[in-house]
Amino acid sequence: MENGGIMKSFDEFKSEFRDKLLNELEKRIKMPLDCKRHDISKVNEKYESLTIGPEGSNVSVNARLDKAFESYRDGNTTFLGNGLLDSCQRRALPPRHQRSSKESE
């Protein structure tokens, strides 16, 4: 998610992160997904999150944008790696739709 070594702003990062996450998940599961951004307020914290799940389903997962951006800012280029994708896939899909990261390569 780098642009010639220039660090992206949080707003630029959010848009690119969303697009890349959806593209990778849709490649794996071969079904349309819904993705919505939410402002989350808890007792001691506020953050933005992406809620991702199959279209028409009430099952979804959340990806915290602040944590992903921190990882990106700290130089971790694998925050959109198989761990996050596997977690989203495993939690949001019924078992018959799941494919491992090895199968999708």
Side-chain angles (χ1 to χ4, degrees), residues 45 64-72 79:
E45 63 183 335
R64 284 185 63 159
L65 292 168
D66 61 326
K67 298 294 184 186
F69 185 68
E70 280 178 28
S71 186
Y72 160 75
F79 59 88

Side-chain angles (χ1 to χ4, degrees), residues 4-95:
I6 299 170
M7 183 73 60
K8 295 187 180 305
S9 70
F10 184 55
D11 287 332
E12 292 170 322
F13 172 84
K14 290 188 297 188
S15 176
E16 189 171 326
F17 179 77
R18 179 191 179 282
D19 293 345
K20 284 188 175 192
L21 182 60
L22 279 176
N23 287 337
E24 289 301 317
L25 284 170
E26 285 178 344
K27 278 186 215 174
R28 284 182 176 211
I29 63 174
K30 310 263 190 259
M31 65 182 353
L33 297 170
D34 281 330
C35 182
K36 296 179 178 128
R37 190 197 63 78
H38 297 279
D39 293 317
I40 307 296
S41 293
K42 295 195 173 187
V43 174
N44 294 322
E45 63 183 335
K46 292 182 181 184
Y47 57 89
E48 291 180 62
S49 177
L50 291 179
T51 301
I52 304 159
E55 282 185 2
S57 174
N58 61 355
V59 177
S60 61
V61 294
N62 288 315
R64 284 185 63 159
L65 292 168
D66 61 326
K67 298 294 184 186
F69 185 68
E70 280 178 28
S71 186
Y72 160 75
R73 190 183 58 217
D74 292 342
N76 181 353
T77 58
T78 61
F79 59 88
L80 189 57
N82 287 331
L84 174 60
L85 294 171
D86 286 344
S87 177
C88 288
Q89 182 178 343
R90 187 173 48 253
R91 292 179 186 174
L93 294 175

Side-chain angles (χ1 to χ4, degrees), residues 93-105:
L93 294 175
R96 72 177 191 275
H97 292 294
Q98 295 183 11
R99 291 176 52 208
S100 73
S101 57
K102 291 178 184 172
E103 291 177 278
S104 64
E105 293 175 353

